[in-house]
Amino acid sequence: GKEDDFVKALVDLPINLIIKQAAASPHPAFQFFRENVAEMRLLHENKYDNLTYIEPEENILVALCVCDMVVSDESSVMTEAVLYGKPSLAITDWLIPDEKTHRYSSVPFDYVIKGTKETMREIVKKLFTDKDMYKQACQLGKGFFANQGHASEYIVRLIDAFIENKKIDTELLVQKV
Protein backbone atom coordinates (compact mmCIF):
# COMPACT_ATOMS: atom_id res chain seq x y z
CA GLY A 1 0.00 0.00 0.00
CA LYS A 2 3.00 2.36 0.16
CA GLU A 3 2.77 3.08 -3.55
CA ASP A 4 -0.94 3.78 -3.22
CA ASP A 5 -0.28 6.14 -0.28
CA PHE A 6 2.35 7.94 -2.37
CA VAL A 7 0.13 8.33 -5.44
CA LYS A 8 -2.99 9.40 -3.52
CA ALA A 9 -1.05 11.97 -1.50
CA LEU A 10 0.83 13.57 -4.38
CA VAL A 11 -0.75 12.93 -7.78
CA ASP A 12 -2.84 16.10 -7.84
CA LEU A 13 0.15 18.36 -7.09
CA PRO A 14 1.73 20.14 -10.08
CA ILE A 15 4.76 17.83 -10.01
CA ASN A 16 5.82 14.72 -11.90
CA LEU A 17 5.86 11.44 -10.01
CA ILE A 18 8.23 8.63 -10.94
CA ILE A 19 7.78 5.18 -9.48
CA LYS A 20 10.68 2.74 -9.49
CA GLN A 21 10.16 -0.50 -7.62
CA ALA A 22 12.98 -2.93 -6.85
CA ALA A 23 13.27 -5.94 -9.12
CA ALA A 24 12.00 -9.03 -7.33
CA SER A 25 13.75 -12.35 -7.33
CA PRO A 26 11.95 -15.07 -9.31
CA HIS A 27 12.14 -17.26 -6.19
CA PRO A 28 8.67 -18.38 -5.01
CA ALA A 29 9.20 -16.63 -1.67
CA PHE A 30 8.94 -13.29 -3.50
CA GLN A 31 5.70 -14.12 -5.34
CA PHE A 32 3.62 -11.91 -3.02
CA PHE A 33 5.96 -8.98 -3.64
CA ARG A 34 5.78 -9.41 -7.43
CA GLU A 35 1.99 -9.66 -7.31
CA ASN A 36 1.72 -6.59 -5.09
CA VAL A 37 3.92 -4.49 -7.39
CA ALA A 38 1.92 -5.63 -10.44
CA GLU A 39 -1.38 -4.86 -8.69
CA MET A 40 -0.28 -1.33 -7.77
CA ARG A 41 0.97 -0.70 -11.28
CA LEU A 42 -2.36 -1.82 -12.77
CA LEU A 43 -4.15 0.45 -10.32
CA HIS A 44 -2.19 3.59 -11.28
CA GLU A 45 -0.42 3.30 -14.62
CA ASN A 46 -1.88 5.35 -17.51
CA LYS A 47 -4.41 6.99 -15.19
CA TYR A 48 -2.46 10.19 -14.47
CA ASP A 49 -0.55 12.44 -16.86
CA ASN A 50 2.11 13.21 -14.26
CA LEU A 51 2.87 9.60 -13.22
CA THR A 52 5.63 7.59 -14.89
CA TYR A 53 6.93 4.10 -14.14
CA ILE A 54 10.53 3.07 -14.55
CA GLU A 55 10.93 -0.67 -15.04
CA PRO A 56 12.07 -2.56 -11.92
CA GLU A 57 15.04 -4.03 -13.82
CA GLU A 58 16.35 -0.55 -14.70
CA ASN A 59 19.23 0.73 -12.59
CA ILE A 60 18.05 3.00 -9.77
CA LEU A 61 20.67 5.54 -10.80
CA VAL A 62 18.57 6.31 -13.89
CA ALA A 63 15.71 7.38 -11.63
CA LEU A 64 18.07 9.39 -9.44
CA CYS A 65 19.37 11.29 -12.47
CA VAL A 66 15.92 12.50 -13.48
CA CYS A 67 14.23 13.06 -10.12
CA ASP A 68 14.25 16.12 -7.87
CA MET A 69 13.81 14.15 -4.65
CA VAL A 70 13.26 10.64 -3.30
CA VAL A 71 10.34 9.43 -1.20
CA SER A 72 10.89 6.03 0.37
CA ASP A 73 10.75 4.06 3.61
CA GLU A 74 14.24 3.05 4.71
CA SER A 75 15.81 2.23 1.37
CA SER A 76 19.49 2.74 0.68
CA VAL A 77 18.40 4.75 -2.37
CA MET A 78 18.06 7.71 0.00
CA THR A 79 21.81 7.51 0.64
CA GLU A 80 22.51 7.11 -3.08
CA ALA A 81 20.45 10.27 -3.69
CA VAL A 82 23.08 12.20 -1.70
CA LEU A 83 25.59 11.47 -4.47
CA TYR A 84 23.31 13.39 -6.83
CA GLY A 85 22.62 16.22 -4.41
CA LYS A 86 18.97 15.19 -4.13
CA PRO A 87 16.97 15.34 -0.90
CA SER A 88 15.08 12.35 0.48
CA LEU A 89 11.91 12.03 2.50
CA ALA A 90 11.52 8.91 4.63
CA ILE A 91 7.95 7.97 5.54
CA THR A 92 8.51 6.61 9.02
CA ASP A 93 5.09 5.06 9.59
CA TRP A 94 5.27 2.75 6.58
CA LEU A 95 5.64 -0.81 7.82
CA ILE A 96 8.65 -2.92 6.90
CA PRO A 97 7.78 -6.63 6.57
CA ASP A 98 10.55 -8.31 8.52
CA GLU A 99 10.70 -12.07 8.92
CA LYS A 100 8.92 -12.41 12.25
CA THR A 101 6.85 -9.24 12.53
CA HIS A 102 6.28 -5.94 10.77
CA ARG A 103 8.00 -2.87 12.13
CA TYR A 104 8.14 0.83 11.33
CA SER A 105 10.95 2.08 9.14
CA SER A 106 14.18 3.12 10.80
CA VAL A 107 16.13 5.98 9.25
CA PRO A 108 18.83 7.20 11.66
CA PHE A 109 20.40 9.62 9.18
CA ASP A 110 20.44 13.40 9.60
CA TYR A 111 20.51 13.96 5.84
CA VAL A 112 17.05 12.40 5.36
CA ILE A 113 13.89 14.39 6.05
CA LYS A 114 11.41 12.39 8.10
CA GLY A 115 7.65 12.45 7.72
CA THR A 116 4.56 10.31 7.98
CA LYS A 117 1.86 9.26 5.54
CA GLU A 118 -0.18 12.15 6.91
CA THR A 119 2.57 14.79 6.48
CA MET A 120 4.04 13.51 3.18
CA ARG A 121 1.95 15.81 0.99
CA GLU A 122 2.69 18.98 2.95
CA ILE A 123 6.42 18.27 3.14
CA VAL A 124 6.69 17.59 -0.60
CA LYS A 125 4.51 20.61 -1.42
CA LYS A 126 6.64 22.86 0.81
CA LEU A 127 9.90 21.57 -0.73
CA PHE A 128 8.68 22.41 -4.22
CA THR A 129 7.23 25.82 -3.37
CA ASP A 130 9.94 27.08 -1.00
CA LYS A 131 13.18 27.31 -3.00
CA ASP A 132 15.28 28.06 0.09
CA MET A 133 13.91 25.01 1.90
CA TYR A 134 14.64 22.85 -1.15
CA LYS A 135 18.21 24.17 -1.39
CA GLN A 136 18.73 23.49 2.32
CA ALA A 137 17.32 19.97 1.92
CA CYS A 138 19.75 19.34 -0.96
CA GLN A 139 22.63 20.36 1.32
CA LEU A 140 21.72 17.96 4.15
CA GLY A 141 23.93 15.18 2.80
CA LYS A 142 26.83 17.40 1.77
CA GLY A 143 29.99 15.99 3.28
CA PHE A 144 28.47 12.57 4.00
CA PHE A 145 30.64 10.93 1.34
CA ALA A 146 34.35 11.52 1.78
CA ASN A 147 36.14 13.13 -1.16
CA GLN A 148 32.96 13.48 -3.21
CA GLY A 149 33.95 14.85 -6.61
CA HIS A 150 37.62 13.94 -6.09
CA ALA A 151 37.61 10.23 -5.21
CA SER A 152 38.53 8.99 -8.72
CA GLU A 153 41.38 11.47 -9.00
CA TYR A 154 42.76 10.43 -5.59
CA ILE A 155 42.49 6.72 -6.41
CA VAL A 156 44.31 7.14 -9.73
CA ARG A 157 47.03 9.16 -8.01
CA LEU A 158 47.43 6.42 -5.38
CA ILE A 159 47.59 3.70 -8.02
CA ASP A 160 50.19 5.70 -9.97
CA ALA A 161 52.27 6.17 -6.83
CA PHE A 162 52.20 2.41 -6.09
CA ILE A 163 52.95 1.38 -9.68
CA GLU A 164 55.79 3.88 -10.01
CA ASN A 165 57.04 3.15 -6.49
CA LYS A 166 56.86 6.84 -5.59
CA LYS A 167 56.20 8.50 -2.26
CA ILE A 168 52.49 9.10 -1.65
CA ASP A 169 51.57 12.78 -1.49
CA THR A 170 50.74 14.06 1.99
CA GLU A 171 47.50 15.42 0.52
CA LEU A 172 46.41 11.85 -0.23
CA LEU A 173 47.47 10.47 3.13
CA VAL A 174 45.22 12.84 5.09
CA GLN A 175 42.03 12.12 3.12
CA LYS A 176 39.04 10.86 5.06
CA VAL A 177 38.05 7.33 4.07
Side-chain angles (χ1 to χ4, degrees):
K2 296 173 194 177
E3 182 177 319
D4 199 42
D5 292 342
F6 172 79
V7 171
K8 285 178 179 176
L10 305 175
V11 77
D12 67 332
L13 292 176
I15 60 176
N16 292 314
L17 304 177
I18 299 171
I19 295 177
K20 162 69 174 87
Q21 294 284 5
S25 164
H27 190 277
F30 292 92
Q31 182 64 28
F32 172 77
F33 177 78
R34 289 191 305 277
E35 289 172 0
N36 189 8
V37 168
E39 179 184 337
M40 286 293 106
R41 191 164 182 164
L42 278 173
L43 185 64
H44 301 119
E45 191 170 35
N46 299 319
K47 303 228 174 28
Y48 307 101
D49 291 337
N50 63 334
L51 177 63
T52 302
Y53 279 85
I54 294 179
E55 295 303 323
E57 297 76 26
E58 186 67 61
N59 190 312
I60 189 61
L61 301 180
V62 171
L64 289 175
C65 284
V66 299
C67 77
D68 292 313
M69 75 174 295
V70 171
V71 177
S72 190
D73 47 22
E74 62 179 22
S75 173
S76 62
V77 73
M78 294 184 291
T79 300
E80 293 162 332
V82 170
L83 291 169
Y84 291 85
K86 311 284 176 89
S88 293
L89 170 60
I91 305 304
T92 58
D93 59 348
W94 274 341
L95 290 174
I96 307 300
D98 276 348
E99 287 181 30
K100 296 194 185 344
T101 183
H102 293 348
R103 62 176 173 78
Y104 289 113
S105 60
S106 173
V107 186
F109 307 112
D110 293 338
Y111 57 84
V112 175
I113 301 164
K114 280 90 172 171
T116 62
K117 292 182 275 192
E118 185 177 314
T119 62
M120 176 180 6
R121 179 184 175 84
E122 287 311 308
I123 293 169
V124 170
K125 189 175 176 182
K126 183 100 168 124
L127 280 167
F128 286 106
T129 57
D130 184 333
K131 290 181 183 185
D132 290 333
M133 183 180 175
Y134 181 78
K135 286 180 186 175
Q136 289 173 346
C138 290
Q139 295 298 311
L140 290 175
K142 195 169 179 75
F144 178 76
F145 289 103
N147 308 310
Q148 190 170 352
H150 302 284
S152 296
E153 171 198 344
Y154 293 158
I155 290 169
V156 169
R157 286 173 54 194
L158 279 170
I159 291 170
D160 285 345
F162 283 118
I163 290 172
E164 297 170 8
N165 202 25
K166 291 183 179 178
K167 182 180 176 190
I168 299 172
D169 294 339
T170 305
E171 176 190 11
L172 296 176
L173 292 173
V174 297
Q175 295 305 315
K176 179 178 157 189
V177 178

